[in-house]
Amino acid sequence: MLWIALLTLSLFVIFLISYLRDPRKIINGFLFNSFILAFLVTCLMYTFQTDTTQWSAWIIFPIVAILILIPFAFVVLIVGLFLNARTLMRREGRKLANSLTLLLGLGMLFLLVVRMLDLSQLVSNNLQPLFGGAGLITMYFFLHMFNFLTAYTLYQFNRPKRDQNFVIVLGSGLINNKVPPLLANRINKAVAFYQKQKKVTAPPKIILSGGQGPDEERPEAEAMQEYAIQQGIPAEDTIQENQSVNTYENMVFSKKILDDRKPDGDYRSIFTTNNFHLFRAGIYARKAGLNSQGIGAKTAFYYWPNAMVREYIAIVVLQRKRHLAVVGSILFISICLSIINWFFVY
């Protein structure tokens, strides 16, 4: 009992240190989930050892309820993904970028059918290791996605102090050479922070970051600056960064501006983007050497699920070497076991 309690406490301390040091890491999600699991195990062990009826009801009943509800929640999630895909396509158009929740729902439905019909029995015994390997890969990405969602959720609670020198607004593209609602939300978030900080100390400079796309007649930063000024920000407190074409370049080129204005590196900065994009943007900021945390603007709920799927895919691609190593190892072992089975049988 004592060892599991110490393990739980250790996991919480490690998580807290990791999160406070840098909340922009997926490992924070893994550490937090590990702490919660260890805490539940500690509670169960305490319940069985003390044999207290009241504790048993408080601990065991919720766990049993969750286990019973998981299959229903899985089905509800699939239905929800299909409904979200229909809503998104109606409002945003039928294109691949808006069909990610549909594809995820189809994938989950396929897994459910495989599980219910036990299709693994149709696979030759020689190929069972490959079937098992596919299951392990699925489980690996499920756990990784769960850790990502936990880290993402924890990052939403990040609240930068109102003593910033700069606020970086990340671009997201113009529509008809004007700031669309999605991008306007990002700028509005920076404007709100500017106004709040102005009440307690000197306001920050706002860096509008976005270059000119192939289908745009002017740099995105130019339109963003105009919008910010219309919202009451003095022109002298705005700065254009008009070279970047993606989030990583937003961070790299914005950092160059900060370093040019503060060569000693003695500055504090944050960035604003939409809440679904917040965590990945933080990762890019770290990769660019920018010690900035982010604040997220709200996104329409119907848009959020599809955007989160896109964000997760982008995170996987960003860490593709690690995932390829894991998937490749599982496949290699599965193939080797299948070959062994083949020669053992024949």
Side-chain angles (χ1 to χ4, degrees):
M1 178 65 189
L2 179 60
W3 68 268
I4 188 65
L6 290 175
L7 175 62
T8 302
L9 180 60
S10 298
L11 285 171
F12 178 73
V13 172
I14 293 172
F15 157 73
L16 200 59
I17 293 174
S18 177
Y19 182 80
L20 293 177
R21 181 174 296 175
D22 192 344
R24 303 169 295 181
K25 295 181 178 180
I26 293 181
I27 190 67
N28 295 330
F30 171 76
L31 291 172
F32 185 80
N33 290 333
S34 299
F35 157 68
I36 293 297
L37 180 61
F39 177 74
L40 291 176
V41 172
T42 301
C43 292
L44 282 174
M45 292 182 65
Y46 178 80
T47 299
F48 290 132
Q49 288 186 7
T50 58
D51 194 25
T52 304
T53 305
Q54 183 178 1
W55 269 99
S56 300
W58 278 102
I59 300 300
I60 296 178
F61 177 76
I63 294 176
V64 173
I66 290 173
L67 292 176
I68 293 175
L69 290 174
I70 284 177
F72 296 99
F74 195 81
V75 174
V76 170
L77 179 58
I78 293 174
V79 174
L81 289 171
F82 286 148
L83 292 176
N84 175 258
R86 185 181 66 175
T87 301
L88 185 65
M89 289 181 180
R90 282 181 176 178
R91 297 191 180 189
E92 303 290 337
R94 297 178 181 273
K95 52 185 178 180
L96 181 60
N98 293 334
S99 63
L100 297 179
T101 47
L102 174 62
L103 296 176
L104 179 60
L106 290 172
M108 293 178 66
L109 181 61
F110 173 76
L111 292 176
L112 183 63
V113 172
V114 169
R115 181 62 179 172
M116 292 180 63
L117 299 181
D118 197 13
L119 297 182
S120 62
Q121 300 300 320
L122 303 178
V123 179
S124 168
N125 288 334
N126 297 327
L127 299 179
Q128 283 294 335
L130 286 176
F131 198 90
L136 283 176
I137 292 172
T138 302
M139 181 59 66
Y140 166 76
F141 280 109
F142 173 79
L143 292 175
H144 182 266
M145 181 175 64
F146 188 64
N147 290 333
F148 159 72
L149 290 175
T150 302
Y152 159 83
T153 302
L154 291 170
Y155 194 63
Q156 302 298 313
F157 292 99
N158 179 58
R159 294 292 182 270
K161 296 180 180 179
R162 294 173 188 170
D163 60 353
Q164 308 300 318
N165 303 114
F166 301 95
V167 177
I168 304 167
V169 183
L170 307 184
S172 62
L174 303 177
I175 297 180
N176 297 324
N177 293 305
K178 294 183 179 180
V179 172
L182 193 73
L183 180 54
N185 288 340
R186 301 182 179 191
I187 303 173
N188 291 338
K189 191 72 175 180
V191 170
F193 186 89
Y194 175 98
Q195 300 294 353
K196 290 178 181 178
Q197 180 169 313
K198 185 179 179 180
K199 295 179 180 179
V200 295
T201 185
K205 302 292 183 182
I206 298 181
I207 299 178
L208 294 313
S209 180
Q212 185 171 348
D215 58 341
E216 295 173 341
E217 297 179 3
R218 60 174 177 167
E220 189 176 351
E222 182 180 313
M224 294 168 67
Q225 185 182 44
E226 289 180 1
Y227 181 88
I229 293 173
Q230 290 171 3
Q231 303 309 306
I233 303 299
E236 60 270 19
D237 284 343
T238 64
I239 304 170
Q240 284 192 37
E241 183 289 293
N242 53 21
Q243 301 179 50
S244 56
V245 295
N246 55 47
T247 303
Y248 179 65
E249 290 187 358
N250 285 149
M251 299 301 184
V252 170
F253 294 134
S254 294
K255 184 177 186 302
K256 186 176 184 304
I257 292 176
L258 303 187
D259 292 339
D260 288 343
R261 287 180 169 250
K262 297 277 189 176
D264 57 358
D266 185 20
Y267 57 79
R268 293 172 299 280
S269 64
I270 62 172
F271 63 87
T272 67
T273 184
N274 294 94
N275 53 9
F276 66 82
H277 185 238
L278 193 61
F279 187 76
R280 181 161 64 98
I283 293 177
Y284 281 124
R286 188 176 71 244
K287 287 174 65 68
L290 192 59
N291 187 24
S292 295
Q293 304 300 336
I295 51 177
K298 292 182 179 179
T299 307
F301 181 74
Y302 77 88
Y303 191 86
W304 183 85
N306 193 80
M308 286 302 300
V309 175
R310 186 173 68 245
E311 288 296 303
Y312 178 68
I313 293 173
I315 290 288
V316 171
V317 172
L318 188 63
Q319 302 173 336
R320 57 188 175 276
K321 291 183 179 180
R322 180 188 309 169
H323 297 304
L324 285 174
V326 173
V327 172
S329 298
I330 294 175
L331 287 178
F332 177 77
I333 295 173
S334 300
I335 292 172
C336 289
L337 291 175
S338 293
I339 293 175
I340 292 173
N341 277 353
W342 182 274
F343 282 103
F344 179 78
V345 173
Y346 294 98

